[in-house]
Amino acid sequence: MENCIFCKIIDQEIPSYKIYEDEKVYAFLDISQATKGHTLVVPKQHVTDIFEYDDTLAADVFARIPKIARAIEKAFPEMDGLNILNNNKELAYQSVFHSHIHLVPRYSKNDDFSIHFGNHTDQQTPEEMQAIADKIKEQVK
Ligand code: 5GP
Ligand code: ZN
């Protein structure tokens, strides 16, 4: 897609620190490394976010994640964990609108990455939980 920075990276119009490429995905270092080895895996097909994936594309992309994760782990055996993150839409911190999966190796509790779920203040009654589950369940196709 025109004017998409990740499409340009895939097409080699913009340089990147490539880690892996095949016919379906392109993986490269995030330009701002949250931690050493912070990697982005992107589908070569331009999709904006998770809501645009079909089953085949999802299978193609997510099938590649474990081997890239293992490669990062082998490259940096001192790492002690890995967060896999996918932001969708601006409110959820998506800033590049070509879908991508972040692989963030973790080295210590004090490294420059955290996920904060807050104080879980949106607690629901059991009846409300059932109603929420039912509402979503009805929409699973
Ligand atoms: P998001 O915030 O959309 O989940 O993540 C987008 C990521 O893309 C950010 O972590 C940002 O550092 C990275 N990024 C943005 N522009 C470029 C670029 O031109 N090259 C690379 N390698 N990463 C980029
Ligand atoms: Zn794109």
Side-chain angles (χ1 to χ4, degrees):
M1 175 181 264
E2 224 177 303
N3 287 330
C4 169
I5 196 155
F6 286 176
C7 281
K8 286 183 178 163
I9 285 175
I10 292 162
D11 293 341
Q12 315 290 321
E13 288 172 39
I14 293 178
S16 67
Y17 299 97
K18 182 167 85 175
I19 282 180
Y20 175 80
E21 179 179 17
D22 63 22
E23 73 284 7
K24 300 292 181 190
V25 305
Y26 191 93
F28 56 108
L29 292 183
D30 192 305
I31 201 70
S32 4
Q33 295 276 282
T35 64
K36 183 179 58 184
H38 177 185
T39 294
L40 301 174
V41 182
V42 304
K44 284 193 167 173
Q45 178 185 334
H46 179 97
V47 284
T48 304
D49 55 36
I50 198 72
F51 305 108
E52 288 186 3
Y53 283 66
D54 62 20
D55 291 357
T56 306
L57 184 63
D60 285 342
V61 172
F62 286 91
R64 270 76 173 178
I65 302 291
K67 73 173 163 192
I68 297 169
R70 283 191 293 268
I72 296 170
E73 188 188 37
K74 279 195 174 147
F76 302 112
E78 68 273 29
M79 79 179 225
D80 205 19
L82 180 78
N83 288 103
I84 297 176
L85 191 70
N86 166 235
N87 299 328
N88 296 281
K89 302 198 185 287
E90 221 170 321
L91 183 65
Y93 306 122
Q94 185 175 7
S95 62
V96 175
F97 296 92
H98 178 136
S99 180
H100 49 279
I101 317 295
H102 293 259
L103 277 65
V104 186
R106 303 299 304 281
Y107 298 94
S108 86
K109 285 184 177 166
N110 302 319
D111 61 22
D112 192 24
F113 181 83
S114 71
I115 295 178
H116 179 57
F117 281 113
N119 296 317
H120 298 263
T121 48
D122 206 357
Q123 292 300 336
Q124 313 284 331
T125 65
E127 293 75 23
E128 288 167 334
M129 293 288 271
Q130 192 59 61
I132 292 166
D134 289 346
K135 201 168 175 179
I136 300 170
K137 196 159 58 179
E138 278 167 22
Q139 298 300 331
V140 178
K141 304 259 184 329

